[in-house]
Amino acid sequence: MKNLAKKSTALLLALIMAFSLAACSVKPGAGEGSTAGSTSGEAVTSQTTDDGNAGDQGEPGEEPAEEPKDEPGSGSGEEPRGPGEEAEEIGTGTGIAGVDPATWIDSDVQEWARLTSETSPQDDFYLHVNRDWMLSTKIPDGYSSYDPITEWAIEVDSQLLDVLQNPEKETDEALIHDQELVQKYYNMWLNWDDRNALGIEPLKKLLDPLFKVQTLDDLTAYLSRPETAISATELLTCDVGVDWNNADYYAVYVMPIDLIFGDSMYYGMMTEADAMAEPYYDEVIRHILVELGFTDSEATDILKGCFAFEQDIAKYIMTTEEASDRNAIVKENNPRTMEQLEAEAGDFPIRAMIAAYGGDGSDSYILTQPDWLAAMDVLYDESNVENLKDYLICYTAQDYATLLDRGCYDIYYKVINGISGAVGTKSDEKSASDAVNTFLPMQIGHLYADRYVTDETKEEVTGIVREIMAEYRNMLSEETFLSEATRKEAINKLDHLQLRIAKPDKWEDDSGLDFAGSEEGGNLFTAQDEVGAYWVQRMRSRVNQKVDRDIWTSRVQQVNAFYDPSQNAITICGGILGGELYNPGMSREELFANVGDTIAHEISHAFDTTGCQFDEKGNFRNWWTEEDQAAFAKRADKLSAYYDQIEPFQDTYCVGSQIEGEAIADLVAMKILLRIAAKEEEFDYDKFFRNFAETWRTITTLRSEYYSLSQDTHPLPYLRVNVVVQQFQEFYDTYNVTMWDAMYLAPQDRLEVW
Ligand SMILES: [Zn+2]
């Protein structure tokens, strides 16, 4: 990464990541439930990568992060430096031809937007369109950024709460079952009497076998138990997903652990003292450890041991930037047999751990990070038992922080608010709804879809998708840099694109999923065990089986959209099809600027620098001639280099390679929309471009923006407007942009990937 952040900033970001990781922490297999086969769809919105996994492109079984419920806000400490002091320059075009785009102020940052004066469409289109809104809108309590997606996500949240608080009488058998499950969990979550009565006991019981571990053999026995994989933290991540090398079948993916501070990059910058000073580490985890019966100094030792192991292993885990690189899948696609895995793992009991997850007996294993496994071979050693144990204790403890008694819960939110600068707390009902959404995502999603996503919406939006695909086909047919052979493959891929629009036609049969509610003597922990065991069983049932492509891997209720390269499928979730983003009365211009752009963006991921490495079925297969591939790479390089020179914060530049895929999708989406517009009868370009800029309007805290710059795979919102529109002649014609304007780019400098 160029312009490495100053250490204080890195720590700040680490905190933010710790916060966001913890915010969605329930045991992975259980919480996600549904993600098999996803090669990580990619979020259309830049606001959707707040869980610290912004770089997870290509990792199987990972669904993109939740919407930002309450991302980081302001707090104390040193601020990243920006052009805030330079008010006199802000918002004024410098009038120099070929002006560096870095002269645009990053007006997403509310403090900086406030310092601007009015500007013209020719100098800063994004600011020109959105300035009044930026100055008159406040970031809501509990949030650190605000935009139309967040605005609508708040509405969807209240719809989900309504599903829980005002259950309808269902008649469909599957929905009746879903209703029972979500009600049980929702009520159990809100049952503070029970939770307080149980106190720390359930966690103690869960961790007791780990406390007894003394030797490496003990640890091996502990990690090999099915109960550990189901309910506690393991020393690897294992999931079943669509096989990159044979998209008709599932493979078992073997991946590194999660780190408490997220991006492995941070560990190279932090000392033990830094880590111990973090309130998340120091207050939340320490509080739970003391509740578990450790003295304060024992807790300190456990925290230090955990950090020591994380620091050792972080060196061998890909950073966000590495995982976002266009060559990431090449590096991650390492097919292995179980025997090979065992040989690489040494004493590290990889076979038993995979079996505990239900992944044994697979014909296909993919090891995403061989360096990590080689390091585990070394670190899994008698001399390291305490540190390994400490990591497992701390990680399991933080996973359950929000499911314990009121004391733990309140400390957790006090610390999180302190870190994020959020004001106010969520109501318990809202927190319970979020918990249901994490724990039973498909069940509440089914009920949500039944109540809020209409067949008409599905039909209409499908029609728009088909219209955009038809133009995409035209574009590919006319593409001049491609040979006939590659063009044929590209069109074939487009023709086979699988459409998942609004809500699925078919839902997975989860009639076997159940757990005891409060009345049957259950609690949040026993539910975790029962549901976790169900997901392990589900994983086992998929090993060596054919992929059912009718089953969705994304949750309907998400305010988001995805492309999954391993299935060559786009998903436009029902949750995003509302509010300003989509409504049936929209004009063509509004439609194009909102849902049309989203759809075209997702289709374009099939042909971005990562997507283009997968074929029409989702196999990781090179369908390019060597020459065409080189020509494509050259175009993408130019785009990446263009972003590299943009400097949103003083001395901190965009990282082109990290945002390349998303930036390509943005660019091609606009191209497709303008191609369709050209055929419309009286298309109002001004209205379209303004609507487009409005869709991306964002106000954010300085810190939240800095975090996005460092971790998000999407360009910052102001760039998603300004950089995109300045590549197209229609924009120049609509606003008479000339070489004297800041929005101007000379024709030979404009970007065109497709
Ligand atoms: Zn995207």
Side-chain angles (χ1 to χ4, degrees), residues 42-44 601-602 605 662 665 714:
E42 289 156 40
V44 64
H601 173 102
E602 296 311 329
H605 274 310
E662 296 297 338
H714 301 80

Side-chain angles (χ1 to χ4, degrees), residues 41-45 561-563 598 601-602 605 608 661-663 665-666 713-714 720:
E42 289 156 40
V44 64
T45 67
F562 309 101
Y563 173 71
T598 301
H601 173 102
E602 296 311 329
H605 274 310
D608 72 18
E662 296 297 338
D666 283 351
T713 55
H714 301 80
R720 296 187 84 168

